[in-house]
Amino acid sequence: MIGLALEGGASRGAYHIGVIKAYLEAGYKFDGIVGTSIGAINAAALAQGDFQAMEEMWLELTTEKLFDSDVSKLIEIGKSKWDMRYFTDVTNGLRNIIEQRGIDTSRIRSIIYDFIDEQKVRDSGCDFGLVTISITDKRPYELYLEDIPDGLLLPYIEASSCVPGFKPVVIDNNTFMDGALYNSCPVNMLIRKNYTEIVIVRTRAPGVYRMVKAPEGVKLRKIMPKRDLGNVLIFSPEKIKENIELGYIDGMRSLKDALT
């Protein structure tokens, strides 16, 4: 069985798309797909069989489509040279975020809920898994599809991608945050499922990456960019396209190395 593990990294998730495209073109079919944060979102989209639509969605993403004006303005300011003329914008933006008790994620939620189809994922026959952290229980959750109650897949995907500073996700009175605070790339979840070959796609994003040692008979194939993929919160169409192309090149290189 061949598995795919996708590391978190917000906008850096575009790199996943290029790697996956290379492997799909080579005729690979993944029996299991796991991920954390944006890795969980991409994993679910791939599991439900909508890769082409997923690639098109990525190419249309912008920071403004994902965040309201306060957050978008702060991100843009963060890219610029600071001076006193930015002070009012920063103060107002931060005040609104504090009053909302976190960055509003309704636009991100809408994209997840519009694009991911829980029933398609469940009917796919693909092993799916994600990681999130419970603030309420003060412990991580590594959840396989069969662990997630019907109707709650999308909330748990949202929980896995709820980075610090975002409004936390509440499920059944339990408050969750981004799984990258525990395990940004859950390779171990596929090892526990007895996968014999695992493709690991890293993004070098902030988070806890837990090193794993391949058990006897298990082949781990790691793909990782050699250069910085950019700010995780800046969704620039130009950078997204660049990172998809970089992922494709690295994916093709990985496939070539596997044959030698």
Side-chain angles (χ1 to χ4, degrees), residues 43-55:
L46 182 59
Q48 72 183 29
D50 286 334
F51 174 76
Q52 185 174 347
M54 176 171 61
E55 182 180 19

Side-chain angles (χ1 to χ4, degrees), residues 9-17 38-39 41-42 45 53-67 72 76 79 106-115 231-244:
S11 65
R12 298 185 186 186
Y15 181 79
H16 299 157
I17 305 303
I38 191 61
I41 297 173
N42 284 344
M54 176 171 61
E55 182 180 19
E56 291 172 358
M57 179 192 71
W58 267 98
L59 289 170
E60 295 174 356
L61 285 180
T62 64
T63 303
E64 291 73 23
K65 283 186 177 181
L66 295 172
F67 301 106
S72 296
E76 286 302 313
K79 292 166 27 180
S106 57
R107 297 186 186 186
I108 298 173
R109 184 183 309 113
S110 292
I111 290 175
I112 294 172
Y113 279 60
D114 288 344
F115 190 73
N231 188 306
V232 296
L233 289 181
I234 297 176
F235 288 76
S236 156
E238 294 77 19
K239 190 64 175 177
I240 286 172
K241 184 178 180 181
E242 177 186 318
N243 286 343
I244 290 175

Side-chain angles (χ1 to χ4, degrees), residues 183-200:
N183 189 356
S184 65
C185 192
V187 182
N188 57 307
M189 295 184 71
L190 291 170
I191 290 176
R192 288 203 297 266
K193 285 274 190 177
N194 299 316
Y195 276 77
T196 54
E197 183 176 353
I198 302 172
V199 178
I200 304 166

